[in-house]
Amino acid sequence: GFQEARSGLSGVMRSLSGLTEQLSLQSLALVLALGLSIFAPGKTRFALVIFMAGFFAGRYRPIRTASDVLPSDVQSRRTLEGVVVGIEDGGCMLKVRHRPWWVRWMDPAPSGFGKLDSGTIAVRVAAEDLPEAVLFPKPLAATQKEAVAYVEESVLRRHVRLRLLGRDSAGQHLVASVRYGWWPFRKSLAEGLLARGLAVVG
């Protein structure tokens, strides 16, 4: 009896192994989340269902660089959340690490998250909802230094929301409006730079 049960269990495991080879990672994650949601308490179950729907729709894929952003993301003006880890071009270019809500929920304060490496999104700051209104630094070095200081104080190592508006002419960098702070008091980084005379619209 024991040997028969063991043999039957081995057959089931082989079948499952074959099944996992046929299923995509996305499908496996969906099945796993569905199984967990059955036994999870109310609030957790609701979060898992939301996660399943978003993951299956491709909304929760990791975005490490600008090349991971799809044309459909730009067309729909998708919102991304992340942490600013670098500032370039007189405060008009940001390096952002993608940290959506489910990542922050699982790992609120990771060690080394502020290190600048290849896993960052290059974003050129633009005015709200105007992809053609891209910001550029003023030519004066003193003004650029002031602009960088303002951007550092406002968003460096802080959580921001990016609204994708397009790509630059070279296609290497994203163009996005950048907002920071807590709702409903979020501020526009572009508006702050322009109001202080620290940048110009190109």
Side-chain angles (χ1 to χ4, degrees), residues 83-164:
V83 174
V84 176
V85 296
I87 298 170
E88 298 179 355
D89 197 19
C92 296
M93 178 84 72
L94 305 179
K95 294 288 188 177
V96 180
R97 177 161 292 111
H98 185 216
R99 281 186 57 80
W101 67 267
W102 66 92
V103 173
R104 299 197 309 275
W105 180 58
M106 293 185 294
D107 193 9
S111 58
F113 81 92
K115 294 180 180 178
L116 184 60
D117 60 17
S118 58
T120 55
I121 309 168
V123 178
R124 183 163 286 282
V125 180
E128 293 293 313
D129 300 327
L130 295 173
E132 67 280 2
V134 179
L135 270 59
F136 290 92
K138 287 191 171 182
L140 293 176
T143 304
Q144 291 187 21
K145 186 176 180 179
E146 186 180 350
V148 170
Y150 170 74
V151 175
E152 286 180 347
E153 182 181 357
S154 300
V155 299
L156 186 60
R157 297 180 181 271
R158 294 179 62 182
H159 177 258
V160 296
R161 292 172 64 89
L162 310 175
R163 189 173 189 188
L164 303 181

Side-chain angles (χ1 to χ4, degrees), residues 24-56 60 101-102 105-106:
S24 66
L25 176 62
Q26 189 179 58
S27 299
L28 285 173
L30 183 66
V31 171
L32 178 61
L34 180 60
L36 290 174
S37 67
I38 295 175
F39 302 101
K43 290 183 179 180
T44 305
R45 183 182 304 158
F46 177 76
L48 284 169
V49 169
I50 296 297
F51 179 83
M52 283 189 298
F55 191 93
F56 192 70
Y60 291 166
W101 67 267
W102 66 92
W105 180 58
M106 293 185 294

